[in-house]
Amino acid sequence: MAQQERAIRTRRAVLEAAATVFAEHGYTAATVADILKTAGVTKGALYFHFDSKEALAQGILEVQTEQRVPEQEIKLQELVDIAMTVAHRMVHDPLLRAGARLSADPVGRKYYGSAWTQWVDVLTEVVSQAHQRGETLSHVVPREVAEMVVGAFNGVQLYSQLETGLQDVEYRVSVLLKHLLPSVASPPVLMRLDVAPDRGARVDGEMELAPASV
């Protein structure tokens, strides 16, 4: 059991190191040597878990949607919470920053894929449930909304990355949602949605304080 736990920790350390390198240099410019140096592991340990740089990129993309937000009384609030918590975490989580950069790489994504389809699937499910509950306007098509949110979010985070190094990304995503949600949410629901810039930090804090499931 101890050996298995050590292997899991090593795999995660390698992924996080690769994410740090990819987020800073991009996929093409990143080297396995840089990743080994950042991870502080042997080449054998790295290749035990990932047999190529492409596999490392795929591993990073696979964990993009692994942590979900708590359920809310209003389903559209979960849509907001997903966007705002990702924005909040991107500032300090290299896995999310790398996932965003890898997914938007027009060359690299041909080889290792993209997390965008995962996010679209997650948000489509949330909006579909909101639509069934009558929280959305009648014309809403859940997958169209999901694709719009994913596309707009990535544009906003890229703008923030280039302009301020993500220091204002939570504010910018909050502004995006304020302008986007009136075309999605029914008026009574819209009035109850919390899209404040600090929403992601508050939700993240609640998740950290929540007791671990058995």
Side-chain angles (χ1 to χ4, degrees):
M1 181 63 71
Q3 185 175 359
Q4 183 180 10
E5 291 176 355
R6 185 162 57 249
I8 292 172
R9 288 197 299 270
T10 299
R11 186 182 190 279
R12 189 71 178 192
V14 170
L15 264 189
E16 291 178 353
T20 299
V21 175
F22 287 146
E24 183 175 354
H25 301 292
Y27 179 78
T28 302
T31 67
V32 172
D34 291 333
I35 295 168
L36 286 171
K37 183 178 179 181
T38 303
V41 301
T42 66
K43 185 180 292 187
L46 185 151
Y47 283 112
F48 176 80
H49 295 286
F50 303 97
D51 61 9
S52 65
K53 191 169 74 167
E54 179 182 322
L56 280 164
Q58 290 171 340
I60 290 168
L61 295 178
E62 287 170 0
V63 302
Q64 293 299 297
T65 60
E66 67 179 5
Q67 191 170 10
R68 302 300 176 86
V69 298
E71 291 187 8
Q72 300 292 335
E73 179 184 353
I74 299 175
K75 210 66 186 175
L76 279 182
Q77 184 65 56
E78 293 178 28
L79 171 72
V80 173
D81 290 353
I82 290 170
M84 294 307 303
T85 53
V86 171
H88 173 68
R89 292 170 187 162
M90 285 189 81
V91 178
H92 55 79
D93 187 344
L95 283 166
L96 286 175
R97 291 198 303 277
R101 182 161 185 172
L102 291 169
S103 294
D105 186 324
V107 177
R109 72 201 308 266
K110 296 177 183 178
Y111 301 100
Y112 51 70
S114 169
W116 290 358
T117 53
Q118 298 173 46
W119 283 119
V120 168
D121 289 343
V122 169
L123 296 185
T124 296
E125 177 63 24
V126 173
V127 181
S128 294
Q129 293 182 36
H131 191 61
Q132 292 167 6
R133 296 182 182 190
E135 296 177 7
T136 69
L137 299 172
S138 60
H139 69 270
V140 162
V141 178
R143 193 164 190 87
E144 290 181 354
V145 172
E147 291 175 345
M148 177 175 61
V149 171
V150 171
F153 180 96
N154 279 282
V156 165
Q157 69 83 20
L158 177 59
Y159 187 94
S160 176
Q161 172 70 55
L162 296 176
E163 292 294 320
T164 69
L166 292 177
Q167 292 307 303
D168 64 352
V169 66
E170 292 171 88
Y171 166 74
R172 292 191 181 279
V173 173
S174 172
V175 171
L176 167 67
L177 294 173
K178 285 179 184 177
H179 289 280
L180 183 151
L181 286 169
S183 68
V184 176
S186 65
V189 170
L190 182 64
M191 294 175 59
R192 299 175 60 190
L193 296 177
D194 181 355
V195 296
D198 68 341
R199 175 66 184 180
R202 286 185 279 119
V203 172
D204 219 21
E206 292 173 6
M207 293 173 69
E208 291 176 359
L209 293 173
S213 58
V214 179

